[in-house]
Amino acid sequence: MRRGTIEVHEEAIRKADVLIEALGYIRKFHNRFTVIKLGGSVMEDPETLRALLVDVVFMQTVGLRPVVVHGGGKAISAAMQKAGLQPTFVQGRRYTDEATLGIVSEVLIEGVNADIVRHINKYGGRAAALHPRTTSCLSGSRMTLAGEGGTPIDLGRVGEVADVDTMTIENLCLAGIVPVLPSLAVCREDEGLLNVNADTAAAAVARHLRAEKLVFLTDTPGILRDRNDPRSLIEGLTPEGCRELAGQGVIDKGMIPKVDACLESLEAGVRKVHIIDGRLPHALLLEIFTDRGIGTEIAKAGAIAKGRLPAATATVTATASAR
């Protein structure tokens, strides 16, 4: 009986230690914006999504200002298949004609966005949907890609964000409400909708808010020196380190636009960018409120957290992570 009481007390002390560790970060990030990009398989598993949204509610409750930006790639592809439409991708981007745009907007607004807002409210938080059917905060222009010989490639109703209504987002955060934005923008030329890459949409929101943090929730532990070895996680990177790894081919394929968005955000005033595995329970809290974190932190030289080595010692970091 006595032994059981001691074990209970020890467990309580460990929990208290965790709270004390988090306290410093709560004070540091109080009233500061954290933009969180949700996407990929993170949104496919109900239990994983539940844990992440509980993290968001926790952040809002202790005085941080989380802003959620989301895509819906897999759900969009499934809806297109159900409608008998074949997705077409050009240089990794979904070609979006009017029929595709109708499915994209329906899935993002009535499906994914509504589900996220409903769950945040269910878990004790307060959330507001910000999209073209309520209040659209993203506007931009249609974009093209460079083809052979510099010939522009048309992507249909695909765009990039140029302006963000930061006042609406800030006012909601001040009121203790979590803004939830899908990756849709209003075209400045014709006021129609544009399908926007969710990574670049989240980065644009973070830049305009001059957020403290931009967090990408992905299907990998972070940036890996060896993509087949989770133990090769690189915990800390500078922009120069990112460019070096891209030149080496360590950062490639789908990670390139994500890292490009990270670097643009840092240049615009976002203090730190995090790429973490959203499938890990409570990944957000572990990355933001613990000394070590769990993913890859990208920041300018001198701003990388203690215990995370910069790109110049990335090989050492990867080796240490493998132990």
Side-chain angles (χ1 to χ4, degrees):
M1 185 69 176
R2 176 63 178 167
R3 180 176 178 80
T5 301
I6 292 174
E7 289 174 349
V8 168
H9 287 168
E10 289 176 344
E11 176 64 20
I13 291 170
R14 283 194 292 270
K15 290 180 179 179
D17 287 339
V18 171
L19 292 174
I20 294 301
E21 181 179 345
L23 178 60
Y25 294 101
I26 292 171
R27 286 177 171 171
K28 182 177 181 179
F29 303 137
H30 187 74
N31 284 337
R32 298 187 183 182
F33 296 105
T34 296
V35 177
I36 301 156
K37 187 265 177 173
L38 285 177
S41 63
V42 170
M43 297 192 299
E44 303 301 315
D45 179 65
E47 186 56 30
T48 299
L49 183 60
R50 183 202 69 81
L52 286 169
L53 296 182
V54 168
D55 288 0
V56 171
V57 172
F58 179 90
M59 293 168 64
Q60 183 269 321
T61 301
V62 299
L64 279 68
R65 297 178 180 174
V67 178
V68 175
V69 180
H70 67 85
K74 293 184 179 180
I76 292 169
S77 295
M80 289 185 66
Q81 184 177 17
K82 186 176 181 180
L85 298 176
Q86 181 66 37
T88 300
F89 291 90
V90 181
Q91 295 184 18
R93 294 182 182 270
R94 186 189 302 271
Y95 180 84
T96 306
D97 56 16
E98 292 295 338
T100 301
L101 182 64
I103 292 175
V104 168
S105 59
E106 191 68 22
V107 169
L108 290 180
I109 293 173
E110 298 299 332
V112 180
N113 190 271
D115 193 51
I116 292 173
V117 169
R118 182 172 60 253
H119 279 84
I120 289 176
N121 292 333
K122 176 182 176 181
Y123 301 142
R126 298 170 63 199
L130 297 180
H131 53 67
R133 297 181 189 174
T134 56
T135 302
S136 182
C137 291
L138 307 181
S139 61
S141 301
R142 292 176 64 165
M143 65 177 291
T144 58
L145 296 176
E148 293 183 7
T151 304
I153 300 175
D154 179 48
L155 295 172
R157 301 296 303 186
V158 173
E160 51 191 355
V161 176
D163 295 305
V164 177
D165 179 4
T166 56
M167 183 175 293
T168 296
I169 296 172
E170 289 173 357
N171 286 340
L172 285 171
C173 289
L174 284 170
I177 300 170
V178 180
V180 183
L181 297 83
S183 54
L184 290 169
V186 174
C187 182
R188 295 189 297 184
E189 287 74 33
D190 59 20
E191 297 187 353
L193 294 184
L194 296 172
N195 184 15
V196 180
N197 176 274
D199 289 338
T200 58
V205 172
R207 290 197 306 270
H208 283 78
L209 287 173
R210 297 182 69 85
E212 175 74 19
K213 292 179 179 292
L214 168 60
V215 182
F216 290 99
L217 296 165
T218 68
D219 298 338
T220 67
I223 296 177
L224 304 175
R225 183 162 291 279
D226 177 356
R227 72 178 60 185
N228 297 314
D229 184 4
R231 298 173 302 173
S232 69
L233 174 69
I234 301 173
E235 298 180 357
L237 277 171
T238 62
E240 294 75 20
C242 288
R243 297 185 185 99
E244 179 185 334
L245 292 177
Q248 297 171 359
V250 175
I251 295 175
D252 64 354
K253 296 185 178 179
M255 190 62 76
I256 290 178
K258 197 181 301 291
V259 171
D260 286 343
C262 293
L263 300 185
E264 290 176 10
S265 299
L266 291 174
E267 287 300 319
V270 175
R271 189 165 180 270
K272 292 186 178 183
V273 181
H274 304 260
I275 300 175
I276 65 175
D277 191 343
R279 300 168 299 179
L280 186 68
H282 302 299
L284 274 172
L285 299 188
L286 291 170
E287 179 65 12
I288 294 175
F289 295 116
T290 63
D291 292 337
R292 187 62 183 266
I294 59 167
T296 299
E297 177 182 281
I298 305 174
K300 292 186 177 180
I304 295 177
K306 183 179 179 181
R308 288 178 154 175
L309 301 177
T313 51
T315 304
V316 177
T317 307
T319 304
S321 298
R323 291 174 183 166

